[in-house]
Amino acid sequence: QSFKLLGFLDVKSVPCARESVLYGSVGSLVVGLGHFLATSRVRRSCDFAVGGFICTMLGYWFYCRYNLAQHRIRQRMLKEGMRNKILFEGSSLDPERKQTGNESSDS
């Protein structure tokens, strides 16, 4: 089952969409209820709740997507490093072999 927000955003398949909507709804509740308790103005509190939803959802969306991009970059670097280690292990280009060779000639 997929849930489409606004008819086009598939919350299940898009990374960070589900969490953004959930945090946005919590932010909406907190901002709207807080404004209502402070001012007792219902219509203005609803406006603040909608604004809180949008700000919280977009804020968490960008935060989550940035962290996801950083994670993918680190994962790609680790994968490339593992491939290079397998490729160069035991050859003259192996950095660990050079270190052990220099240490044995210094002694």
Side-chain angles (χ1 to χ4, degrees):
Q1 290 181 354
S2 65
F3 174 71
K4 292 195 176 193
L5 185 66
L6 301 175
F8 64 89
L9 179 63
D10 190 9
V11 176
K12 186 176 180 182
S13 65
V14 176
C16 301
R18 179 180 177 269
E19 291 85 5
S20 297
V21 171
L22 290 175
Y23 281 117
S25 61
V26 170
S28 168
L29 182 68
V30 168
V31 170
L33 189 61
H35 190 271
F36 176 74
L37 291 176
T39 63
S40 297
R41 295 174 66 186
V42 177
R43 183 169 172 87
R44 181 69 105 169
S45 297
C46 290
D47 293 341
F48 269 78
V50 170
F53 174 78
I54 292 170
C55 290
T56 308
M57 185 180 75
L58 288 177
Y60 188 76
W61 171 269
F62 288 122
Y63 170 76
C64 183
R65 295 297 286 201
Y66 177 77
N67 283 340
L68 185 64
Q70 291 295 321
H71 178 71
R72 286 182 178 166
I73 289 170
R74 284 191 304 266
Q75 191 175 18
R76 191 177 317 124
M77 287 173 52
L78 183 63
K79 190 176 185 180
E80 184 178 330
M82 288 173 62
R83 186 173 0 109
N84 286 342
K85 178 157 177 66
I86 292 170
L87 184 66
F88 295 130
E89 190 172 28
S91 71
S92 62
L93 299 174
D94 188 9
E96 291 179 8
R97 185 174 178 188
K98 286 182 181 181
Q99 288 175 356
T100 56
N102 290 339
E103 290 172 359
S104 62
S105 63
D106 289 339
S107 298

